[in-house]
Amino acid sequence: ELRNRIDKDLIREAKELLNNAVQISIIPHSGPDGDAIGSSLALYQYLQKKGRQCKIISPSAYPVFLNWLPRNSEVMVYTKDKKDADVYLKESNLIFMVDHNSFKRSGDLEGYLESCDTKKIMIDHHPEPEAKVDIMFSDITMCSTCELMFEFIEALGDLSMIDESIAECIYTGIVTDTGGLSYNSSQPRTYQIVGALLFRGIDKSKIHSNVYDNFSIDRMKLLGHCLDQGLEVLSEYQTAIIKLTKEDLKRFNYRDGDTEGFVNYPLSIRDIRVAVIFIEKDDMVKISFRSKGNVPINKLAREYFNGGGHMNAAGGRTNKKLDVAISKFKEVLPEFYQSLEL
Ligand code: 5GP
Ligand code: MN
């Protein structure tokens, strides 16, 4: 049905917390993506319009292709601005936990968030929420936290406060979390919300262009190298693997976010259902998993690679060497593949 999907009782409780809060912190997940930063900036602008004192504290830096977002320069980055952020956070009496549902994904803020008794509201769309918070807006049927943020603001009775700038941020998260409205975006309500955002005057093509046609030359070459040198297709298991070594990243002057979206390319190979990218970092290997259809790749991420996520998009990591991580994946793949009902 084409109507707001927020629980009215929860909204009443949230209103009360909001009314009592003097200073508010908004925290996206570590290594924030378009949805995490988009939903944080939407909430930030909304709360400021309501005359509330608030700040976004991002646990870590994020891709340059998100720097064009309105009010981006006002985001505090914890790894760069630890002192000021610590003070602000300690003085806050309300914390919004945005686009993540476990403090394990709050980066260096994990310990503090876990132990502080500041009131917390979660706004998120990932399965199996595990963080202890006071109010949980958790809905896995939402394509993005940004979609949920729209519903949240509307449910608070403030639809009219969503201006073009807030709408831009919300649209960015919807687009980046669905691969440009390709996957995980089949609910009519999503398009009603997109319609409302367009009605606010957003320039859809400009946003797409800012997000997708924004590669540095190095980034484009890194992608080319990755697909050329790093691709391995395991046809038997309808799986394709790509990888990037530390040396690759160095050679192409890696910047935060440069590998965003690379994992989706192998999924375009005919008959491939699972794509994985292994990225060698200083102290670990970061792994991104993507799948098509009824292939719960988040299970594999959770069971074998200290991660999790959505059915068709998940992440994980390991302290093992790059080659060992890839071997381990190949080792567990046959059993996973056989367990699927294809
Ligand atoms: P990415 O591959 O872009 O890092 O992550 C893909 C999806 O999986 C995102 O929705 C992200 O939030 C989720 N994800 C990534 N890493 C983890 C993790 O360690 N735990 C959980 N629960 N989700 C993750
Ligand atoms: Mn998201």
Side-chain angles (χ1 to χ4, degrees):
E1 225 183 315
L2 296 183
R3 57 181 175 84
N4 192 286
R5 292 158 287 173
I6 299 269
D7 184 305
K8 297 291 173 294
D9 293 329
L10 284 185
I11 276 292
R12 260 191 294 277
E13 286 176 39
K15 258 188 186 162
E16 204 174 305
L17 277 194
L18 270 170
N19 287 337
N20 292 329
V22 178
Q23 183 165 314
I24 304 168
S25 288
I26 301 169
I27 314 218
H29 58 76
S30 175
D33 54 10
D35 190 31
I37 283 296
S39 55
S40 295
L41 280 168
L43 179 61
Y44 173 73
Q45 294 177 77
Y46 162 67
L47 291 174
Q48 285 206 336
K49 273 182 110 170
K50 300 269 285 180
R52 314 315 299 270
Q53 167 111 314
C54 63
K55 270 201 193 317
I56 300 171
I57 303 171
S58 172
S60 65
Y62 51 90
V64 283
F65 70 79
L66 295 171
N67 287 352
W68 61 274
L69 279 164
R71 312 288 285 277
N72 166 73
S73 62
E74 291 157 46
V75 175
M76 287 174 108
V77 175
Y78 191 65
T79 44
K80 289 184 198 144
D81 225 351
K82 188 167 169 357
K83 250 195 186 151
D84 288 344
D86 274 333
V87 172
Y88 194 88
L89 198 52
K90 287 209 173 86
E91 286 173 355
S92 295
N93 31 33
L94 178 60
I95 295 172
F96 277 93
M97 173 180 195
V98 168
D99 198 37
H100 62 307
N101 59 19
S102 157
F103 295 127
K104 287 192 199 113
R105 300 203 65 221
S106 316
D108 293 343
L109 291 169
E110 175 181 351
Y112 180 73
L113 293 176
E114 189 88 63
S115 61
C116 73
D117 52 17
T118 314
K119 296 283 184 207
K120 300 184 193 81
I121 299 179
M122 178 197 292
I123 302 190
D124 180 62
H125 70 131
H126 291 89
E128 303 182 23
E130 53 181 60
K132 284 222 161 52
V133 295
D134 298 273
I135 306 179
M136 191 186 279
F137 292 97
S138 167
D139 188 339
I140 64 164
T141 71
M142 302 277 175
C143 76
S144 55
T145 296
C146 276
E147 180 174 25
L148 182 50
M149 196 59 79
F150 180 98
E151 298 282 43
F152 178 68
I153 296 172
E154 188 191 63
L156 284 166
D158 288 326
L159 181 60
S160 63
M161 294 190 85
I162 297 183
D163 55 18
E164 183 181 343
S165 176
I166 295 177
E168 255 191 340
C169 295
I170 293 177
Y171 186 70
T172 298
I174 291 178
V175 160
T176 53
D177 255 31
T178 58
L181 291 167
S182 65
Y183 48 80
N184 197 19
S185 48
S186 297
Q187 291 198 51
R189 172 68 177 165
T190 302
Y191 296 86
Q192 193 180 39
I193 290 171
V194 167
L197 299 176
L198 286 167
F199 195 64
R200 296 298 188 274
I202 59 165
D203 185 342
K204 191 170 155 294
S205 355
K206 184 198 84 180
I207 296 173
H208 279 260
S209 192
N210 281 344
V211 170
Y212 295 111
D213 310 334
N214 207 350
F215 275 53
S216 65
I217 297 169
D218 275 329
R219 185 182 176 199
M220 188 56 82
K221 289 185 172 174
L222 180 69
L223 172 63
H225 173 80
C226 176
L227 295 176
D228 184 36
Q229 303 290 313
L231 175 68
E232 186 175 357
V233 178
L234 309 166
S235 314
E236 198 184 340
Y237 305 113
Q238 298 182 287
T239 295
I241 298 173
I242 48 179
K243 65 176 176 189
L244 283 168
T245 64
K246 254 194 286 196
E247 289 71 41
D248 294 333
L249 298 179
K250 204 166 155 227
R251 181 171 155 205
F252 296 98
N253 303 307
Y254 173 80
R255 307 265 310 265
D256 279 321
D258 273 357
T259 55
E260 195 72 35
F262 283 15
V263 64
N264 293 311
Y265 285 89
L267 266 192
S268 308
I269 302 171
R270 188 186 302 124
D271 295 334
I272 290 298
R273 286 171 187 270
V274 173
V276 190
I277 186 169
F278 295 84
I279 304 170
E280 187 182 32
K281 303 267 167 153
D282 283 332
D283 50 349
M284 54 135 183
V285 174
K286 161 90 180 92
I287 312 163
S288 287
F289 302 89
R290 298 292 184 273
S291 69
K292 272 194 240 162
N294 193 21
V295 178
I297 203 65
N298 53 349
K299 269 194 189 165
L300 194 139
R302 201 182 312 125
E303 271 175 48
Y304 301 104
F305 295 101
N306 307 306
H310 312 277
M311 168 140 115
N312 296 130
R317 59 206 53 74
T318 170
N319 300 323
K320 304 250 168 28
K321 287 220 159 53
L322 181 64
D323 294 347
V324 178
I326 295 174
S327 304
K328 184 177 171 187
F329 174 74
K330 289 181 183 168
E331 217 176 277
V332 300
L333 183 61
E335 197 184 302
F336 175 75
Y337 187 74
Q338 265 131 45
S339 74
L340 301 175
E341 285 158 25
L342 298 176

